[in-house]
Amino acid sequence: QIGAKFWEVISDEHGVQADGSYAGDSDLQLERINVYFNEAAGGRYVPRAVLMDLEPGTVESVRSSKYGKLFRPDNFIAGTSGAGNNWAKGHYTEGAELLPRVLETVRKEAEACDCLQGFQVTQSLGGGTGSGMGTLLISRIREEYPDRIMMTFSVVPSPKVSNTVIEPYNATLSVHQLVENADEVMILDNEALY
């Protein structure tokens, strides 16, 4: 969900409408549009994004949203069972099974870049997918692209808006992985996002 909001804001800043067409009013918007977007046929702009989750509901809600048609259809990747708010399931079992598909899509997007600078990951550290699979993905991208910048926007759980009691444990298990594999980590407080 935070990733979908990110693309909404980036699209607005660059003058890209929900259908991918450019409707901006400034040359500055087009000057650096290729940082986040590829230009497709017909002057349509498509985000360089891979949207993944271990349960299909979140990915489907993005796909059916106003901005859902903006993304490349093959870049929506979802599992079937979810991680059940469990870091270990996201990191070692369900997440590890889905990871090859995600990495293949990441490779395709990286190969389409003229000058790949790095990767940005938006994730929630409270649930199983963002914390477990998210940190697994970051470590694998770091292995394949060790000289590229890894930046994350990581939402940390807050006791006031927490859904489950294990969210702090998921976040704690993720921090070690982020310290080891990310160059920059922007911490966002879940309570402040509400």
Side-chain angles (χ1 to χ4, degrees), residues 158-180:
S158 167
K160 291 186 180 174
V161 292
S162 180
N163 294 334
T164 62
V165 295
I166 61 170
E167 285 185 11
Y169 299 105
N170 291 336
T172 302
L173 290 165
S174 300
V175 168
H176 169 71
Q177 296 287 326
L178 292 173
V179 167
E180 290 295 317

PDB file of all heavy atoms in Angstrom, residues 158-180:
ATOM      1  N   SER A 158       3.973   0.658  15.261  1.00  0.00           N
ATOM      2  CA  SER A 158       3.703   1.527  16.401  1.00  0.00           C
ATOM      3  C   SER A 158       2.688   0.827  17.296  1.00  0.00           C
ATOM      4  O   SER A 158       1.713   0.270  16.804  1.00  0.00           O
ATOM      5  CB  SER A 158       3.130   2.850  15.906  1.00  0.00           C
ATOM      6  OG  SER A 158       2.590   3.584  16.973  1.00  0.00           O
ATOM      7  N   PRO A 159       2.889   0.844  18.614  1.00  0.00           N
ATOM      8  CA  PRO A 159       1.958   0.135  19.493  1.00  0.00           C
ATOM      9  C   PRO A 159       0.520   0.653  19.425  1.00  0.00           C
ATOM     10  O   PRO A 159      -0.420  -0.099  19.636  1.00  0.00           O
ATOM     11  CB  PRO A 159       2.538   0.338  20.888  1.00  0.00           C
ATOM     12  CG  PRO A 159       3.667   1.273  20.763  1.00  0.00           C
ATOM     13  CD  PRO A 159       3.979   1.467  19.324  1.00  0.00           C
ATOM     14  N   LYS A 160       0.345   1.930  19.061  1.00  0.00           N
ATOM     15  CA  LYS A 160      -1.004   2.495  19.026  1.00  0.00           C
ATOM     16  C   LYS A 160      -1.826   2.025  17.838  1.00  0.00           C
ATOM     17  O   LYS A 160      -3.044   2.009  17.893  1.00  0.00           O
ATOM     18  CB  LYS A 160      -0.940   4.025  19.039  1.00  0.00           C
ATOM     19  CG  LYS A 160      -0.462   4.585  20.358  1.00  0.00           C
ATOM     20  CD  LYS A 160      -0.549   6.075  20.368  1.00  0.00           C
ATOM     21  CE  LYS A 160      -0.052   6.615  21.706  1.00  0.00           C
ATOM     22  NZ  LYS A 160       0.013   8.067  21.698  1.00  0.00           N
ATOM     23  N   VAL A 161      -1.160   1.668  16.733  1.00  0.00           N
ATOM     24  CA  VAL A 161      -1.895   1.236  15.540  1.00  0.00           C
ATOM     25  C   VAL A 161      -1.525  -0.193  15.132  1.00  0.00           C
ATOM     26  O   VAL A 161      -1.778  -0.616  14.026  1.00  0.00           O
ATOM     27  CB  VAL A 161      -1.667   2.195  14.349  1.00  0.00           C
ATOM     28  CG1 VAL A 161      -2.297   3.540  14.618  1.00  0.00           C
ATOM     29  CG2 VAL A 161      -0.201   2.337  14.027  1.00  0.00           C
ATOM     30  N   SER A 162      -0.932  -0.929  16.049  1.00  0.00           N
ATOM     31  CA  SER A 162      -0.477  -2.281  15.750  1.00  0.00           C
ATOM     32  C   SER A 162      -1.638  -3.264  15.687  1.00  0.00           C
ATOM     33  O   SER A 162      -2.553  -3.223  16.505  1.00  0.00           O
ATOM     34  CB  SER A 162       0.505  -2.726  16.837  1.00  0.00           C
ATOM     35  OG  SER A 162       0.960  -4.013  16.564  1.00  0.00           O
ATOM     36  N   ASN A 163      -1.580  -4.151  14.686  1.00  0.00           N
ATOM     37  CA  ASN A 163      -2.607  -5.183  14.540  1.00  0.00           C
ATOM     38  C   ASN A 163      -2.294  -6.446  15.328  1.00  0.00           C
ATOM     39  O   ASN A 163      -3.190  -7.135  15.776  1.00  0.00           O
ATOM     40  CB  ASN A 163      -2.767  -5.573  13.061  1.00  0.00           C
ATOM     41  CG  ASN A 163      -3.315  -4.443  12.230  1.00  0.00           C
ATOM     42  OD1 ASN A 163      -4.010  -3.576  12.745  1.00  0.00           O
ATOM     43  ND2 ASN A 163      -2.998  -4.447  10.952  1.00  0.00           N
ATOM     44  N   THR A 164      -1.036  -6.774  15.448  1.00  0.00           N
ATOM     45  CA  THR A 164      -0.644  -8.022  16.105  1.00  0.00           C
ATOM     46  C   THR A 164       0.483  -7.777  17.095  1.00  0.00           C
ATOM     47  O   THR A 164       1.243  -6.822  16.962  1.00  0.00           O
ATOM     48  CB  THR A 164      -0.169  -9.069  15.069  1.00  0.00           C
ATOM     49  OG1 THR A 164       0.983  -8.554  14.405  1.00  0.00           O
ATOM     50  CG2 THR A 164      -1.246  -9.377  14.048  1.00  0.00           C
ATOM     51  N   VAL A 165       0.608  -8.683  18.032  1.00  0.00           N
ATOM     52  CA  VAL A 165       1.627  -8.526  19.071  1.00  0.00           C
ATOM     53  C   VAL A 165       3.033  -8.846  18.575  1.00  0.00           C
ATOM     54  O   VAL A 165       4.005  -8.471  19.227  1.00  0.00           O
ATOM     55  CB  VAL A 165       1.303  -9.396  20.315  1.00  0.00           C
ATOM     56  CG1 VAL A 165       0.030  -8.927  20.976  1.00  0.00           C
ATOM     57  CG2 VAL A 165       1.234 -10.863  19.950  1.00  0.00           C
ATOM     58  N   ILE A 166       3.158  -9.520  17.441  1.00  0.00           N
ATOM     59  CA  ILE A 166       4.505  -9.902  16.986  1.00  0.00           C
ATOM     60  C   ILE A 166       5.159  -8.865  16.065  1.00  0.00           C
ATOM     61  O   ILE A 166       6.278  -9.070  15.617  1.00  0.00           O
ATOM     62  CB  ILE A 166       4.503 -11.297  16.321  1.00  0.00           C
ATOM     63  CG1 ILE A 166       3.604 -11.308  15.093  1.00  0.00           C
ATOM     64  CG2 ILE A 166       4.122 -12.365  17.300  1.00  0.00           C
ATOM     65  CD1 ILE A 166       3.736 -12.566  14.270  1.00  0.00           C
ATOM     66  N   GLU A 167       4.487  -7.765  15.780  1.00  0.00           N
ATOM     67  CA  GLU A 167       5.067  -6.754  14.900  1.00  0.00           C
ATOM     68  C   GLU A 167       6.441  -6.255  15.379  1.00  0.00           C
ATOM     69  O   GLU A 167       7.351  -6.132  14.566  1.00  0.00           O
ATOM     70  CB  GLU A 167       4.104  -5.586  14.697  1.00  0.00           C
ATOM     71  CG  GLU A 167       2.960  -5.930  13.777  1.00  0.00           C
ATOM     72  CD  GLU A 167       2.045  -4.749  13.470  1.00  0.00           C
ATOM     73  OE1 GLU A 167       2.401  -3.603  13.802  1.00  0.00           O
ATOM     74  OE2 GLU A 167       0.981  -4.988  12.888  1.00  0.00           O
ATOM     75  N   PRO A 168       6.625  -5.982  16.684  1.00  0.00           N
ATOM     76  CA  PRO A 168       7.963  -5.547  17.119  1.00  0.00           C
ATOM     77  C   PRO A 168       9.048  -6.608  16.886  1.00  0.00           C
ATOM     78  O   PRO A 168      10.192  -6.268  16.576  1.00  0.00           O
ATOM     79  CB  PRO A 168       7.792  -5.278  18.615  1.00  0.00           C
ATOM     80  CG  PRO A 168       6.332  -5.079  18.809  1.00  0.00           C
ATOM     81  CD  PRO A 168       5.655  -5.913  17.778  1.00  0.00           C
ATOM     82  N   TYR A 169       8.687  -7.880  16.989  1.00  0.00           N
ATOM     83  CA  TYR A 169       9.657  -8.953  16.737  1.00  0.00           C
ATOM     84  C   TYR A 169      10.036  -8.991  15.260  1.00  0.00           C
ATOM     85  O   TYR A 169      11.208  -9.147  14.913  1.00  0.00           O
ATOM     86  CB  TYR A 169       9.100 -10.313  17.181  1.00  0.00           C
ATOM     87  CG  TYR A 169       8.803 -10.366  18.653  1.00  0.00           C
ATOM     88  CD1 TYR A 169       7.497 -10.320  19.121  1.00  0.00           C
ATOM     89  CD2 TYR A 169       9.838 -10.445  19.583  1.00  0.00           C
ATOM     90  CE1 TYR A 169       7.221 -10.353  20.477  1.00  0.00           C
ATOM     91  CE2 TYR A 169       9.572 -10.480  20.943  1.00  0.00           C
ATOM     92  CZ  TYR A 169       8.264 -10.428  21.392  1.00  0.00           C
ATOM     93  OH  TYR A 169       7.994 -10.452  22.722  1.00  0.00           O
ATOM     94  N   ASN A 170       9.046  -8.849  14.379  1.00  0.00           N
ATOM     95  CA  ASN A 170       9.325  -8.816  12.942  1.00  0.00           C
ATOM     96  C   ASN A 170      10.266  -7.659  12.607  1.00  0.00           C
ATOM     97  O   ASN A 170      11.215  -7.822  11.841  1.00  0.00           O
ATOM     98  CB  ASN A 170       8.028  -8.677  12.147  1.00  0.00           C
ATOM     99  CG  ASN A 170       7.156  -9.904  12.212  1.00  0.00           C
ATOM    100  OD1 ASN A 170       7.627 -11.018  12.449  1.00  0.00           O
ATOM    101  ND2 ASN A 170       5.867  -9.724  12.018  1.00  0.00           N
ATOM    102  N   ALA A 171      10.008  -6.505  13.192  1.00  0.00           N
ATOM    103  CA  ALA A 171      10.852  -5.334  12.933  1.00  0.00           C
ATOM    104  C   ALA A 171      12.267  -5.552  13.457  1.00  0.00           C
ATOM    105  O   ALA A 171      13.249  -5.216  12.785  1.00  0.00           O
ATOM    106  CB  ALA A 171      10.233  -4.088  13.564  1.00  0.00           C
ATOM    107  N   THR A 172      12.375  -6.139  14.628  1.00  0.00           N
ATOM    108  CA  THR A 172      13.691  -6.388  15.227  1.00  0.00           C
ATOM    109  C   THR A 172      14.508  -7.349  14.366  1.00  0.00           C
ATOM    110  O   THR A 172      15.704  -7.136  14.142  1.00  0.00           O
ATOM    111  CB  THR A 172      13.537  -6.954  16.652  1.00  0.00           C
ATOM    112  OG1 THR A 172      12.792  -6.005  17.423  1.00  0.00           O
ATOM    113  CG2 THR A 172      14.876  -7.202  17.305  1.00  0.00           C
ATOM    114  N   LEU A 173      13.875  -8.404  13.872  1.00  0.00           N
ATOM    115  CA  LEU A 173      14.578  -9.350  13.009  1.00  0.00           C
ATOM    116  C   LEU A 173      14.995  -8.707  11.688  1.00  0.00           C
ATOM    117  O   LEU A 173      15.993  -9.099  11.081  1.00  0.00           O
ATOM    118  CB  LEU A 173      13.694 -10.572  12.750  1.00  0.00           C
ATOM    119  CG  LEU A 173      13.480 -11.483  13.957  1.00  0.00           C
ATOM    120  CD1 LEU A 173      12.319 -12.443  13.711  1.00  0.00           C
ATOM    121  CD2 LEU A 173      14.749 -12.253  14.294  1.00  0.00           C
ATOM    122  N   SER A 174      14.263  -7.710  11.245  1.00  0.00           N
ATOM    123  CA  SER A 174      14.570  -7.042   9.980  1.00  0.00           C
ATOM    124  C   SER A 174      15.733  -6.065  10.094  1.00  0.00           C
ATOM    125  O   SER A 174      16.473  -5.867   9.125  1.00  0.00           O
ATOM    126  CB  SER A 174      13.351  -6.269   9.487  1.00  0.00           C
ATOM    127  OG  SER A 174      12.272  -7.129   9.282  1.00  0.00           O
ATOM    128  N   VAL A 175      15.890  -5.456  11.250  1.00  0.00           N
ATOM    129  CA  VAL A 175      16.898  -4.404  11.405  1.00  0.00           C
ATOM    130  C   VAL A 175      18.296  -4.919  11.089  1.00  0.00           C
ATOM    131  O   VAL A 175      19.072  -4.259  10.392  1.00  0.00           O
ATOM    132  CB  VAL A 175      16.821  -3.771  12.812  1.00  0.00           C
ATOM    133  CG1 VAL A 175      18.028  -2.897  13.092  1.00  0.00           C
ATOM    134  CG2 VAL A 175      15.547  -2.953  12.938  1.00  0.00           C
ATOM    135  N   HIS A 176      18.643  -6.108  11.551  1.00  0.00           N
ATOM    136  CA  HIS A 176      19.963  -6.674  11.276  1.00  0.00           C
ATOM    137  C   HIS A 176      20.195  -6.792   9.771  1.00  0.00           C
ATOM    138  O   HIS A 176      21.266  -6.447   9.260  1.00  0.00           O
ATOM    139  CB  HIS A 176      20.119  -8.045  11.947  1.00  0.00           C
ATOM    140  CG  HIS A 176      21.333  -8.783  11.497  1.00  0.00           C
ATOM    141  ND1 HIS A 176      22.600  -8.397  11.850  1.00  0.00           N
ATOM    142  CD2 HIS A 176      21.471  -9.857  10.690  1.00  0.00           C
ATOM    143  CE1 HIS A 176      23.475  -9.215  11.292  1.00  0.00           C
ATOM    144  NE2 HIS A 176      22.808 -10.120  10.588  1.00  0.00           N
ATOM    145  N   GLN A 177      19.184  -7.279   9.058  1.00  0.00           N
ATOM    146  CA  GLN A 177      19.298  -7.430   7.606  1.00  0.00           C
ATOM    147  C   GLN A 177      19.472  -6.071   6.921  1.00  0.00           C
ATOM    148  O   GLN A 177      20.256  -5.942   5.978  1.00  0.00           O
ATOM    149  CB  GLN A 177      18.047  -8.131   7.058  1.00  0.00           C
ATOM    150  CG  GLN A 177      17.849  -9.536   7.538  1.00  0.00           C
ATOM    151  CD  GLN A 177      18.830 -10.492   6.903  1.00  0.00           C
ATOM    152  OE1 GLN A 177      19.212 -10.321   5.746  1.00  0.00           O
ATOM    153  NE2 GLN A 177      19.253 -11.487   7.638  1.00  0.00           N
ATOM    154  N   LEU A 178      18.754  -5.071   7.407  1.00  0.00           N
ATOM    155  CA  LEU A 178      18.866  -3.736   6.812  1.00  0.00           C
ATOM    156  C   LEU A 178      20.241  -3.122   7.067  1.00  0.00           C
ATOM    157  O   LEU A 178      20.822  -2.498   6.177  1.00  0.00           O
ATOM    158  CB  LEU A 178      17.764  -2.821   7.350  1.00  0.00           C
ATOM    159  CG  LEU A 178      16.345  -3.186   6.924  1.00  0.00           C
ATOM    160  CD1 LEU A 178      15.331  -2.303   7.651  1.00  0.00           C
ATOM    161  CD2 LEU A 178      16.170  -3.072   5.422  1.00  0.00           C
ATOM    162  N   VAL A 179      20.766  -3.324   8.262  1.00  0.00           N
ATOM    163  CA  VAL A 179      22.099  -2.811   8.584  1.00  0.00           C
ATOM    164  C   VAL A 179      23.144  -3.438   7.660  1.00  0.00           C
ATOM    165  O   VAL A 179      24.048  -2.768   7.167  1.00  0.00           O
ATOM    166  CB  VAL A 179      22.441  -3.067  10.073  1.00  0.00           C
ATOM    167  CG1 VAL A 179      23.917  -2.836  10.361  1.00  0.00           C
ATOM    168  CG2 VAL A 179      21.585  -2.196  10.967  1.00  0.00           C
ATOM    169  N   GLU A 180      23.011  -4.730   7.404  1.00  0.00           N
ATOM    170  CA  GLU A 180      23.975  -5.451   6.580  1.00  0.00           C
ATOM    171  C   GLU A 180      23.864  -5.129   5.091  1.00  0.00           C
ATOM    172  O   GLU A 180      24.875  -5.089   4.394  1.00  0.00           O
ATOM    173  CB  GLU A 180      23.799  -6.963   6.757  1.00  0.00           C
ATOM    174  CG  GLU A 180      24.225  -7.489   8.112  1.00  0.00           C
ATOM    175  CD  GLU A 180      25.722  -7.335   8.357  1.00  0.00           C
ATOM    176  OE1 GLU A 180      26.514  -7.620   7.428  1.00  0.00           O
ATOM    177  OE2 GLU A 180      26.085  -6.908   9.462  1.00  0.00           O
TER     178      GLU A 180
END
